[in-house]
Coordinates of all heavy atoms in Angstrom, one line a residue:
V182 N -79.3 35.0 -7.4 CA -78.7 34.0 -6.6 C -77.2 34.0 -6.9 O -76.8 33.8 -8.0 CB -79.3 32.6 -6.8 CG1 -78.6 31.5 -5.9 CG2 -80.8 32.5 -6.6
I183 N -76.4 34.3 -5.8 CA -75.0 34.3 -6.0 C -74.4 33.0 -5.5 O -74.5 32.8 -4.3 CB -74.3 35.5 -5.3 CG1 -74.9 36.8 -5.7 CG2 -72.8 35.5 -5.7 CD1 -74.4 38.0 -5.0
E184 N -73.9 32.1 -6.4 CA -73.3 30.9 -5.9 C -71.8 31.0 -5.8 O -71.2 31.8 -6.6 CB -73.7 29.8 -6.9 CG -75.1 29.4 -6.7 CD -75.4 28.0 -7.3 OE1 -74.8 27.0 -6.8 OE2 -76.2 28.0 -8.2
N185 N -71.2 30.3 -4.9 CA -69.8 30.4 -4.6 C -69.4 31.8 -4.1 O -68.4 32.4 -4.5 CB -68.9 30.0 -5.8 CG -67.5 29.6 -5.3 OD1 -67.3 29.2 -4.2 ND2 -66.5 29.8 -6.2
A186 N -70.4 32.4 -3.4 CA -70.2 33.7 -2.8 C -69.1 33.6 -1.7 O -68.9 32.6 -1.1 CB -71.5 34.2 -2.2
A187 N -68.5 34.8 -1.4 CA -67.6 34.9 -0.3 C -68.4 34.8 1.0 O -69.5 35.3 1.1 CB -66.8 36.2 -0.3
C188 N -67.8 34.1 2.0 CA -68.5 33.8 3.2 C -68.0 34.7 4.4 O -68.3 34.5 5.5 CB -68.3 32.4 3.7 SG -68.9 31.2 2.4
E189 N -67.1 35.7 4.1 CA -66.5 36.5 5.1 C -67.5 37.2 5.9 O -68.6 37.6 5.4 CB -65.6 37.5 4.4 CG -64.1 37.1 4.2 CD -63.9 36.0 3.2 OE1 -64.9 35.5 2.6 OE2 -62.7 35.6 3.0
P190 N -67.2 37.4 7.2 CA -68.2 38.1 8.1 C -68.5 39.5 7.6 O -69.6 40.0 7.9 CB -67.5 38.1 9.5 CG -66.4 37.1 9.4 CD -66.0 36.9 7.9
E191 N -67.6 40.1 6.9 CA -67.9 41.5 6.4 C -69.0 41.4 5.4 O -69.8 42.4 5.2 CB -66.6 42.1 5.8 CG -65.5 42.4 6.9 CD -64.7 41.2 7.3 OE1 -64.9 40.1 6.7 OE2 -63.9 41.3 8.3
V192 N -69.1 40.3 4.6 CA -70.2 40.2 3.6 C -71.5 40.1 4.4 O -72.6 40.7 4.0 CB -70.0 38.9 2.8 CG1 -71.2 38.7 1.9 CG2 -68.7 39.0 1.9
E193 N -71.5 39.4 5.5 CA -72.7 39.2 6.3 C -73.1 40.6 7.0 O -74.3 40.9 7.1 CB -72.4 38.2 7.5 CG -73.5 37.3 7.8 CD -73.1 36.3 8.9 OE1 -72.0 35.9 8.9 OE2 -74.0 36.0 9.8
D194 N -72.1 41.3 7.4 CA -72.3 42.6 8.0 C -73.0 43.5 6.9 O -73.9 44.3 7.3 CB -71.0 43.2 8.5 CG -71.2 44.1 9.7 OD1 -71.9 43.7 10.6 OD2 -70.7 45.3 9.7
L195 N -72.5 43.5 5.7 CA -73.1 44.3 4.7 C -74.5 43.9 4.4 O -75.4 44.8 4.3 CB -72.3 44.2 3.4 CG -72.9 44.9 2.2 CD1 -73.0 46.4 2.4 CD2 -72.1 44.7 0.9
A196 N -74.8 42.6 4.4 CA -76.1 42.1 4.2 C -77.0 42.6 5.3 O -78.2 43.0 5.1 CB -76.2 40.6 4.1
A197 N -76.5 42.7 6.6 CA -77.3 43.2 7.7 C -77.6 44.7 7.5 O -78.7 45.1 7.8 CB -76.6 42.9 9.0
I198 N -76.7 45.4 7.0 CA -76.9 46.9 6.8 C -78.0 47.0 5.7 O -79.0 47.8 5.9 CB -75.6 47.5 6.3 CG1 -74.6 47.5 7.4 CG2 -75.9 49.0 5.8 CD1 -73.2 47.9 6.9
L199 N -77.8 46.3 4.6 CA -78.8 46.4 3.5 C -80.2 45.9 4.0 O -81.2 46.5 3.6 CB -78.3 45.5 2.3 CG -77.0 46.0 1.6 CD1 -76.5 44.9 0.7 CD2 -77.3 47.3 0.9
T200 N -80.2 44.9 4.8 CA -81.5 44.5 5.4 C -82.2 45.6 6.2 O -83.4 45.8 6.1 CB -81.3 43.2 6.2 OG1 -80.7 42.2 5.3 CG2 -82.6 42.6 6.7
T201 N -81.3 46.2 7.0 CA -81.9 47.4 7.8 C -82.4 48.4 6.9 O -83.4 49.1 7.2 CB -80.7 48.0 8.7 OG1 -80.0 46.9 9.3 CG2 -81.2 48.9 9.7
M202 N -81.9 48.5 5.7 CA -82.3 49.5 4.7 C -83.6 49.0 4.0 O -84.1 49.8 3.2 CB -81.3 49.8 3.7 CG -80.0 50.5 4.2 SD -78.7 50.6 3.0 CE -77.6 51.7 3.7
G203 N -84.0 47.8 4.2 CA -85.2 47.2 3.6 C -84.9 46.2 2.5 O -85.9 45.8 1.9
A204 N -83.7 45.8 2.3 CA -83.4 44.8 1.3 C -83.8 43.4 1.8 O -84.0 43.2 3.0 CB -81.9 44.8 1.0
K205 N -84.0 42.5 0.8 CA -84.4 41.1 1.1 C -83.2 40.2 0.7 O -83.0 39.9 -0.5 CB -85.6 40.7 0.4 CG -86.8 41.5 0.9 CD -88.1 41.0 0.4 CE -89.3 41.7 1.0 NZ -90.5 41.6 0.3
I206 N -82.5 39.8 1.7 CA -81.3 38.9 1.4 C -81.3 37.7 2.4 O -81.5 37.9 3.6 CB -80.0 39.7 1.7 CG1 -80.0 41.0 0.9 CG2 -78.8 38.9 1.4 CD1 -78.8 42.0 1.2
V207 N -81.1 36.5 1.8 CA -81.0 35.3 2.6 C -79.7 34.6 2.3 O -79.2 34.6 1.1 CB -82.2 34.4 2.2 CG1 -82.1 33.1 3.0 CG2 -83.5 35.0 2.5
G208 N -79.0 34.1 3.3 CA -77.8 33.3 3.1 C -76.5 34.0 3.1 O -75.5 33.4 2.9
A209 N -76.5 35.3 3.4 CA -75.2 36.0 3.5 C -74.3 35.4 4.6 O -74.9 35.1 5.7 CB -75.4 37.5 3.7
G210 N -73.1 35.2 4.3 CA -72.2 34.5 5.3 C -72.1 33.0 4.9 O -71.3 32.3 5.5
T211 N -72.9 32.5 3.9 CA -72.7 31.2 3.4 C -72.4 31.3 1.9 O -72.3 32.5 1.4 CB -74.0 30.4 3.4 OG1 -75.0 30.8 2.4 CG2 -74.7 30.5 4.8
S212 N -72.1 30.2 1.2 CA -71.7 30.3 -0.2 C -72.8 30.5 -1.2 O -72.6 30.7 -2.4 CB -70.8 29.1 -0.6 OG -71.6 28.0 -0.4
V213 N -74.1 30.5 -0.7 CA -75.2 30.8 -1.6 C -76.0 32.0 -1.0 O -76.6 31.9 0.1 CB -76.1 29.6 -1.8 CG1 -77.2 30.0 -2.8 CG2 -75.3 28.4 -2.3
V214 N -76.0 33.1 -1.7 CA -76.7 34.3 -1.2 C -77.9 34.6 -2.2 O -77.7 34.7 -3.4 CB -75.8 35.5 -1.2 CG1 -76.6 36.7 -0.6 CG2 -74.6 35.2 -0.3
T215 N -79.1 34.7 -1.7 CA -80.2 34.9 -2.5 C -80.8 36.3 -2.2 O -81.0 36.7 -1.0 CB -81.3 33.9 -2.2 OG1 -80.7 32.6 -2.5 CG2 -82.5 34.0 -3.2
I216 N -81.0 37.1 -3.2 CA -81.4 38.5 -3.1 C -82.7 38.7 -3.9 O -82.7 38.4 -5.1 CB -80.3 39.5 -3.6 CG1 -79.0 39.2 -2.8 CG2 -80.8 40.9 -3.4 CD1 -77.8 39.2 -3.7
E217 N -83.7 39.1 -3.2 CA -84.9 39.4 -3.9 C -85.0 40.9 -4.1 O -85.0 41.7 -3.1 CB -86.1 38.9 -3.1 CG -87.3 38.6 -4.0 CD -88.5 38.2 -3.1 OE1 -88.3 37.2 -2.3 OE2 -89.5 38.9 -3.2
G218 N -85.1 41.4 -5.3 CA -85.0 42.9 -5.5 C -86.2 43.6 -4.9 O -87.3 43.1 -4.9
V219 N -86.0 44.8 -4.3 CA -87.1 45.6 -3.8 C -87.0 46.9 -4.6 O -86.0 47.3 -5.2 CB -87.0 45.9 -2.3 CG1 -87.1 44.6 -1.5 CG2 -85.7 46.6 -2.0
K220 N -88.1 47.7 -4.6 CA -88.2 48.9 -5.4 C -87.2 50.0 -4.8 O -86.5 50.7 -5.5 CB -89.6 49.5 -5.4 CG -90.5 48.8 -6.3 CD -91.2 49.8 -7.3 CE -91.7 49.1 -8.6 NZ -92.6 48.0 -8.3
R221 N -87.3 50.1 -3.5 CA -86.6 51.3 -2.9 C -86.0 50.9 -1.5 O -86.6 50.1 -0.8 CB -87.6 52.4 -2.8 CG -87.1 53.6 -2.1 CD -88.0 54.9 -2.4 NE -87.9 55.3 -3.8 CZ -88.9 55.4 -4.6 NH1 -90.1 55.0 -4.3 NH2 -88.7 55.8 -5.9
L222 N -84.9 51.5 -1.2 CA -84.3 51.3 0.2 C -84.5 52.5 1.0 O -84.7 53.6 0.4 CB -82.8 50.9 0.1 CG -82.5 49.6 -0.6 CD1 -81.0 49.3 -0.5 CD2 -83.2 48.4 0.0
R223 N -84.5 52.4 2.3 CA -84.7 53.6 3.1 C -83.4 53.8 4.0 O -82.6 52.9 4.2 CB -85.9 53.4 4.0 CG -85.8 52.1 4.8 CD -87.0 51.9 5.8 NE -86.8 50.6 6.5 CZ -87.2 49.4 6.2 NH1 -88.0 49.3 5.1 NH2 -87.0 48.4 6.9
P224 N -83.3 55.1 4.5 CA -82.1 55.4 5.3 C -82.1 54.5 6.5 O -83.1 54.1 7.0 CB -82.4 56.9 5.7 CG -83.3 57.4 4.7 CD -84.1 56.3 4.2
A225 N -80.8 54.3 7.0 CA -80.7 53.4 8.1 C -79.6 53.8 9.1 O -78.7 54.7 8.7 CB -80.4 52.0 7.6
R226 N -79.6 53.3 10.2 CA -78.5 53.5 11.2 C -77.9 52.1 11.5 O -78.6 51.2 11.8 CB -79.1 54.1 12.5 CG -78.1 54.5 13.5 CD -78.8 55.2 14.7 NE -77.7 55.4 15.7 CZ -77.0 56.5 15.8 NH1 -77.3 57.5 15.1 NH2 -76.1 56.6 16.8
Y227 N -76.6 52.0 11.5 CA -76.0 50.7 11.7 C -74.6 50.8 12.4 O -73.8 51.7 12.1 CB -75.8 50.0 10.4 CG -75.5 48.5 10.5 CD1 -76.5 47.6 10.7 CD2 -74.2 48.0 10.5 CE1 -76.2 46.2 10.8 CE2 -73.9 46.7 10.6 CZ -74.9 45.8 10.8 OH -74.6 44.5 11.0
A228 N -74.3 49.9 13.3 CA -73.0 49.8 14.0 C -72.1 48.8 13.2 O -72.5 47.6 13.2 CB -73.2 49.4 15.4
V229 N -71.0 49.3 12.7 CA -70.1 48.4 12.0 C -69.5 47.4 12.9 O -69.1 47.7 14.0 CB -69.0 49.3 11.3 CG1 -67.9 48.5 10.7 CG2 -69.6 50.2 10.3
M230 N -69.3 46.2 12.4 CA -68.7 45.1 13.2 C -67.2 45.4 13.6 O -66.5 46.1 12.9 CB -68.7 43.8 12.5 CG -67.9 43.8 11.2 SD -67.9 42.2 10.3 CE -66.4 41.5 11.0
P231 N -66.8 44.8 14.7 CA -65.3 45.0 15.1 C -64.4 44.4 14.1 O -64.7 43.4 13.4 CB -65.2 44.3 16.5 CG -66.6 44.0 16.9 CD -67.5 44.0 15.7
D232 N -63.2 44.9 14.0 CA -62.2 44.5 13.1 C -61.5 43.2 13.5 O -60.7 43.2 14.5 CB -61.2 45.6 12.8 CG -60.4 45.4 11.5 OD1 -59.8 44.3 11.4 OD2 -60.3 46.3 10.7
R233 N -61.7 42.1 12.8 CA -61.1 40.8 13.2 C -59.6 40.8 13.0 O -58.9 40.1 13.6 CB -61.9 39.6 12.6 CG -61.8 39.6 11.1 CD -62.8 38.6 10.5 NE -62.9 38.8 9.1 CZ -62.3 38.1 8.1 NH1 -61.6 37.0 8.5 NH2 -62.4 38.4 6.9
I234 N -59.2 41.5 12.0 CA -57.8 41.5 11.6 C -57.0 42.4 12.7 O -55.9 42.0 13.1 CB -57.5 42.0 10.2 CG1 -58.3 41.2 9.2 CG2 -56.0 42.0 9.9 CD1 -58.1 39.7 9.2
E235 N -57.6 43.5 13.1 CA -56.9 44.3 14.1 C -56.8 43.4 15.4 O -55.8 43.4 16.1 CB -57.7 45.6 14.4 CG -56.9 46.4 15.4 CD -57.8 47.5 16.1 OE1 -58.8 48.0 15.5 OE2 -57.5 47.9 17.2
A236 N -57.9 42.7 15.7 CA -57.9 41.9 16.9 C -56.8 40.8 16.8 O -56.1 40.6 17.8 CB -59.3 41.2 17.1
G237 N -56.8 40.2 15.7 CA -55.7 39.1 15.5 C -54.3 39.7 15.6 O -53.4 39.1 16.2

Side-chain angles (χ1 to χ4, degrees):
V182 180
I183 309 177
E184 286 196 61
N185 201 28
C188 303
E189 269 68 2
E191 292 78 9
V192 173
E193 215 178 326
D194 210 49
L195 173 62
I198 294 166
L199 293 168
T200 304
T201 313
M202 292 172 170
K205 293 191 175 158
I206 306 175
V207 177
T211 75
S212 60
V213 182
V214 182
T215 305
I216 302 136
E217 207 186 301
V219 297
K220 282 234 159 55
R221 178 161 288 119
L222 297 184
R223 53 178 183 268
R226 185 181 173 90
Y227 192 85
V229 170
M230 63 178 266
D232 197 307
R233 62 194 167 101
I234 305 302
E235 186 197 333

